[in-house]
Amino acid sequence: MPSFIVKIFVAALAAGAAQALPQMSMSTVTTSAVARSTSSLVASSVMAATSTAPPAADAAAKAAALKQLASDLIKEPSSVDRFTKLLTTGGDGKTLLSGQELKDRVVFDFNNAKPADGSLGGKILLANVDNFPILTDLGISTAVATLGPCGINTPHFHPRATEFLTVVKGQIQSGFILENGFAVNNKVVSQVSTNLTALQGTVFPMGSIHFQFNPTCEDAIFVATLNSDDPGVSQIAQNFFALNGEVIDAALGFPFTIAGEDVNKFRAQLPINLAVGVDQCLKTCKIQTK
């Protein structure tokens, strides 16, 4: 295995954490009238509650309202019905929303991205059907990520979407590995690597394992658009080491094995999806690891 890939994998085991991409589940279909009524009641209760609620409770109430609205929209029989429900007062189709209420429905603010508590490596925020209900059934979502100096978005894949990534600021090194069977010079697994600078982009096919790494001492920012309103994400190292210890031993144990107590140590140190890694970058940027 190339040394750079080994370092990327090891970096995935480094201490640190960041916010994982949000997921949602869809409810079964019910009548449009009930859905509209439920959504209006939820929105009203949230508005009343947030006037006196502390910031944390305010954010939780808004998130709950968005989830309820997304759940209600998916029940509508047509696109016109969904937009009517979403963009008119009470979903009755008589009066278009206006002002901040309309803006909240059609504008997503990526400035709200924040690192998870104790995280290293950067921050990422995904606009998907879960937190931006207008995307319901539109087949698209978008993430904006900031990778700090030497930051890595650790190897992962999206089970339901292809990703098109564009660098907005800085430099990003990335790579992806396709499904079994793709081979070059009889090498079963071949990594396709890229080195991107500002306003350059690349694609990660659906289901391919991929990563992004900032090799510089300055922040790098990228925008990633995915062709699903619910693309999903699965972090490779983190989920692999969540398997039963015997399964991990069998997968990695030819001829060596990982003792059960060591597996537990790995689990405790895995970041959620962003980490700081790669030795030379850390040395160049004078970043101390823990």
Side-chain angles (χ1 to χ4, degrees):
M1 182 179 293
S3 60
F4 180 71
I5 305 306
V6 172
K7 290 181 179 179
I8 290 292
F9 184 76
V10 171
L13 309 181
Q19 181 180 5
L21 303 184
Q23 305 295 308
M24 79 165 294
S25 59
M26 301 299 185
S27 302
T28 54
V29 175
T30 59
T31 63
S32 298
V34 172
R36 287 195 178 96
S37 176
T38 302
S39 180
S40 298
L41 289 172
V42 170
S44 299
S45 64
V46 169
M47 291 176 64
T50 56
S51 60
T52 57
D58 186 5
K62 288 181 178 179
L66 288 173
K67 286 179 178 292
Q68 182 62 57
L69 179 57
S71 178
D72 291 344
L73 288 176
I74 200 63
K75 303 167 189 174
E76 296 294 332
S78 72
S79 178
V80 169
D81 289 329
R82 282 192 290 274
F83 283 112
T84 298
K85 180 180 181 62
L86 183 72
L87 301 178
T88 63
T89 302
D92 59 8
K94 297 179 179 179
T95 306
L96 184 69
L97 296 175
S98 61
Q100 187 63 43
E101 192 173 8
L102 178 62
K103 183 177 180 180
D104 287 343
R105 297 290 176 91
V106 299
V107 175
F108 189 88
D109 190 357
F110 287 100
N111 290 301
N112 293 326
K114 296 179 180 179
D117 292 341
S119 67
L120 297 173
K123 56 187 178 181
I124 188 167
L125 181 60
L126 174 73
N128 68 355
V129 68
D130 193 33
N131 56 10
F132 197 35
I134 196 172
L135 297 179
T136 300
D137 206 38
L138 295 186
I140 193 170
S141 57
T142 297
V144 174
T146 300
L147 290 184
C150 307
I152 300 172
N153 193 12
T154 58
H156 60 282
F157 70 92
H158 304 290
R160 294 180 292 277
T162 291
E163 174 182 344
F164 192 108
L165 179 147
T166 303
V167 176
V168 177
K169 174 187 175 184
Q171 179 182 352
I172 292 290
Q173 292 178 357
S174 70
F176 68 83
I177 292 179
L178 293 170
E179 63 191 282
N180 296 351
F182 176 71
V184 177
N185 290 330
N186 296 318
K187 183 179 180 182
V188 176
V189 179
S190 299
Q191 178 180 301
V192 180
S193 301
T194 59
N195 186 41
L196 306 172
T197 56
L199 301 185
Q200 293 183 332
T202 192
V203 66
F204 305 117
M206 181 188 298
S208 64
I209 299 172
H210 58 279
F211 67 90
Q212 297 91 26
F213 167 58
N214 173 11
T216 76
C217 301
E218 303 292 333
D219 284 353
I221 300 174
F222 65 81
V223 175
T225 297
L226 304 105
N227 64 338
S228 170
D229 53 26
D230 181 26
V233 65
S234 181
Q235 303 296 142
I236 302 301
Q238 292 85 332
N239 289 342
F240 176 76
F241 280 100
L243 292 170
N244 181 282
E246 293 181 357
V247 175
I248 296 172
D249 279 351
L252 300 180
F254 300 102
F256 305 107
T257 61
I258 297 176
E261 59 270 23
D262 292 330
V263 169
N264 290 331
K265 291 177 182 177
F266 281 131
R267 285 176 178 150
Q269 295 178 15
L270 291 175
I272 295 176
N273 72 330
L274 295 173
V276 175
V278 183
D279 293 342
Q280 187 56 52
C281 183
L282 295 173
K283 292 177 182 178
T284 301
C285 300
K286 298 180 181 179
I287 297 175
Q288 298 294 322
T289 58
K290 295 182 179 179

